[in-house]
Amino acid sequence: MDPNLLVIFGFVLLITIVAIGLGGRIHRRDLEHKERRLELEARIAEANAGSGANVEAQRKLEARVRVLERIATDRGHDLADQIEALRDPEMEGNGVPLKMRRKENAS
């Protein structure tokens, strides 16, 4: 066999092995990238699905905080009556009215 032909055959074999190795690495990185992208898309979909419930919970929480702020800042109302009104199960989800009887303070 011709020595030049053996060199060419060895060179082609070496190039083929390197190409297969690089192709395998590229393919593996592509699969990892696709897997990460699918995980992120699933997280985004999960967050978007729960956002409706979060908005409603946030709205209720803000309403309660507003009521508590009014209780803390209004001195003309009886604090105990207002706290009991917050505990009233009939008022749950509807907010708490602040139209309560006022007591005269002797201060």
Side-chain angles (χ1 to χ4, degrees):
M1 198 170 201
D2 187 20
N4 289 336
L5 190 60
L6 284 175
V7 170
I8 292 173
F9 179 71
F11 185 68
V12 168
L13 184 62
L14 179 66
I15 290 175
T16 304
I17 291 171
V18 169
I20 289 173
L22 288 175
R25 285 186 180 193
I26 290 171
H27 181 68
R28 186 180 66 213
R29 294 279 292 173
D30 185 49
L31 289 177
E32 289 172 355
H33 173 73
K34 287 179 183 177
E35 183 179 351
R36 285 186 198 139
R37 189 182 72 217
L38 288 174
E39 286 175 5
L40 290 174
E41 287 174 355
R43 285 184 187 173
I44 290 170
E46 183 179 310
N48 288 339
S51 67
N54 289 341
V55 169
E56 180 65 21
Q58 182 72 20
R59 186 190 64 77
K60 286 182 178 180
L61 181 63
E62 287 175 2
R64 288 187 67 84
V65 168
R66 271 188 248 115
V67 169
L68 292 173
E69 286 174 347
R70 278 188 231 136
I71 291 172
T73 57
D74 287 349
R75 297 186 185 268
H77 292 284
D78 185 23
L79 185 59
D81 287 343
Q82 291 181 5
I83 291 173
E84 286 304 316
L86 286 175
R87 293 183 184 151
D88 189 5
E90 295 174 8
M91 299 303 295
E92 189 172 320
N94 297 327
V96 178
L98 289 179
K99 298 176 185 174
M100 302 185 157
R101 62 185 153 98
R102 294 180 182 240
K103 291 187 178 179
E104 295 295 325
N105 291 341
S107 36

